[in-house]
Amino acid sequence: MPHSSGTGAPRPAGLTAAAGTAPAPGAAVATASGAAATPRTTAGGTRPRDLWTRARGFLVALAVLLAAGLALAALNSGARHGYLDPRSADPFGSQAVAELLKARGVTTRVVTTAEEAADAAGPDTTLLVTDPDRLGESQLSDIRSAIDLSGGRTVLLAPSVLSLPALAPATRTHGDSPAPGTDLDPGGTCALPAATSAGRASTGGGYRYSTGTPGATGCYPSSGHPTLLVLPTGVRGGDTVLLGSETVFLNKALAEEGNASLALQLLGSRPNLVWYLPSLADSEAAGDGAGEEKDFLELIPAGWSWALLQLFLAAAVAALWRARRLGPLVTERLPVLIRASEATEGRARLYRKAGARDRAATVLRAASRERLAALVGVPAVRAHDSASLVPAVAARLTAGHPHHPDTLLFGTTPATDAALVALADHLDALEREVRTS
């Protein structure tokens, strides 16, 4: 297999010969960072400086991990009482509406069992049940007794078919709910003063209701059914409010539209407010298999998310600690020197053994195009563009040149080894003529 003149390249720095030639014992070997490796101290033990060098990465990682843990603990050191909790200042808590009610003279009491809620209910009390669907049969019975006998107001947040048959037997839910956070108007047929004075509110995004109870009032309709329904009770002056979405009571949404006005009027009509947050011990629905199924992520305690974040930070710090930083490249004195002509001949023999005439022709033509582009003034980025290179090369040739430059530089693959040899010779002749023209 032939080789073209000028195609050989010097051996890259740092590439050693395959032969088993090793540096002399005790000689310093250059590393990627440019520093010579020195032998370790074996007599007298490890030096204190070496101990610090080995341990400082671990100590830095430990310090960063501790700082991250302290920062996360500080961020979460505030009181987090949960969803719809009047003691929580989180976006999904309800401390804002509780504080506004307190300013209006309404006393708020938090209870966690249905028995406490039923005992505290009365004609001067508003009972708010934040999650009626979590209640079991005995808890639903206690709340139903409070609704029928207290003469006060009971507000049920987002009750569904799980709790409606026990708490409001003549009421049903309808269809798919609108998108979360939907703002609705009270509606032209709404006769509830609290809704008409509050105006547009975020009552959508939950359930819609209908009822056959005489004297019921529906407001904030969506697709023909109200999302707020007020039902009269058997005791004069008492009523039950069904609200399809709890958004109006959340801290994050209280200042939007008429949410604050609606929340204050629904919960502040009596001087006392009993805020019932069903606890796990008070909930039997999940144990009876009547509750909604939860996915795996909902079953994981909230604290585990912060633990996973800390583990991720620790893994990232460990990866940075163990990563090797490469310094600038340096020239290494090779134990064996190989001439460029020998490397070219070896490469040519590999091409010939593989029968890679196409690859050999491509390499020869590409090298010739790059050198010709520099001779005729064609930019290097357009050296392999026939429309740019061929006219410039043809302009430097004599009229009787036997081969067109386009055929030589961008032609087909030679069919035989003899044709490949001829192509190499013609490319050399083309370069010489262009260089001397």
Side-chain angles (χ1 to χ4, degrees):
M1 181 71 68
H3 60 85
S4 175
S5 61
T7 58
R11 190 172 180 81
L15 181 63
T16 59
T21 305
V29 180
T31 63
S33 62
T38 57
R40 290 183 178 180
T41 302
T42 56
T46 305
R47 293 178 298 178
R49 182 175 180 181
D50 294 337
L51 288 175
W52 164 247
T53 302
R54 296 178 189 177
R56 63 182 179 183
F58 173 76
L59 294 176
V60 170
L62 182 61
V64 172
L65 183 60
L66 291 176
L70 292 175
L72 292 176
L75 291 175
N76 293 275
S77 60
R80 297 175 64 90
H81 297 285
Y83 191 72
L84 283 173
D85 195 307
R87 299 162 297 186
S88 174
D90 296 336
F92 293 94
S94 299
Q95 187 182 63
V97 67
E99 292 296 327
L100 292 177
L101 289 170
K102 181 179 179 180
R104 294 165 61 97
V106 177
T107 302
T108 300
R109 175 188 173 189
V110 178
V111 298
T112 57
T113 65
E115 184 178 358
E116 290 177 321
D119 292 341
D124 60 347
T125 301
T126 298
L127 172 60
L128 173 64
V129 184
T130 59
D131 196 355
D133 288 349
R134 289 181 56 183
L135 304 181
E137 293 183 3
S138 61
Q139 287 78 20
L140 290 173
S141 177
D142 291 340
I143 299 302
R144 180 62 191 179
S145 298
I147 292 175
D148 293 337
L149 303 176
S150 67
R153 167 170 287 182
T154 303
V155 180
L156 305 177
L157 294 187
S160 69
V161 292
L162 299 177
S163 56
L164 279 179
L167 301 179
T171 306
R172 297 184 299 150
T173 59
H174 287 272
D176 297 331
S177 61
T182 303
D183 297 329
L184 302 174
D185 293 318
T189 60
C190 177
L192 182 66
T196 56
S197 61
R200 191 174 180 84
S202 303
T203 59
Y207 295 102
R208 296 172 291 157
Y209 304 102
S210 65
T211 184
T213 304
T217 301
C219 298
Y220 298 102
S222 175
S223 301
H225 298 285
T227 57
L228 188 153
L229 190 63
V230 181
L231 307 175
T233 60
V235 179
R236 181 179 179 84
D239 58 13
T240 301
V241 179
L242 308 182
L243 189 59
S245 173
E246 64 273 19
T247 305
V248 294
F249 298 123
L250 299 178
N251 292 332
K252 68 173 186 175
L254 190 64
E256 299 176 0
E257 300 292 346
N259 294 345
S261 175
L262 181 62
L264 292 177
Q265 294 184 77
L266 290 179
L267 301 182
S269 60
R270 273 78 172 172
N272 298 309
L273 171 62
V274 177
W275 200 295
Y276 175 29
L277 297 170
S279 61
L280 291 176
D282 198 38
S283 176
E284 295 178 356
D288 297 338
E292 296 181 355
E293 293 185 359
K294 295 184 177 181
D295 58 22
F296 177 75
L297 295 179
E298 292 177 341
L299 297 176
I300 298 177
W304 279 100
S305 60
W306 297 108
L308 290 176
L309 178 60
Q310 293 181 22
L311 290 176
F312 174 77
L313 291 176
V317 171
L320 292 175
W321 167 44
R322 297 299 299 173
R324 296 184 180 275
R325 182 182 302 173
L326 298 179
L329 296 177
V330 297
T331 302
E332 178 184 3
R333 192 174 67 177
L334 301 177
V336 178
L337 296 178
I338 301 178
R339 293 192 296 270
S341 60
E342 294 180 4
T344 304
E345 291 176 0
R347 187 176 182 183
R349 291 191 189 98
L350 292 176
Y351 282 155
R352 183 175 184 178
K353 184 176 181 180
R357 284 187 295 272
D358 53 346
R359 176 60 180 167
T362 300
V363 171
L364 292 174
R365 282 172 167 154
S368 295
R369 287 196 296 264
E370 293 174 357
R371 290 191 293 269
L372 288 171
L375 293 174
V376 299
V378 174
V381 294
R382 304 184 65 86
H384 303 288
D385 181 14
S386 61
S388 301
L389 182 62
V390 172
V393 172
R396 304 284 291 272
L397 301 177
T398 59
H401 195 275
H403 300 286
H404 195 275
D406 185 50
T407 303
L408 294 177
L409 298 174
F410 299 95
T412 59
T413 301
T416 62
D417 288 349
L420 182 61
V421 173
L423 175 63
D425 293 338
H426 295 327
L427 288 174
D428 285 342
L430 178 65
E431 290 185 38
R432 285 195 301 270
E433 185 170 350
V434 171
R435 186 175 288 108
T436 58
S437 62

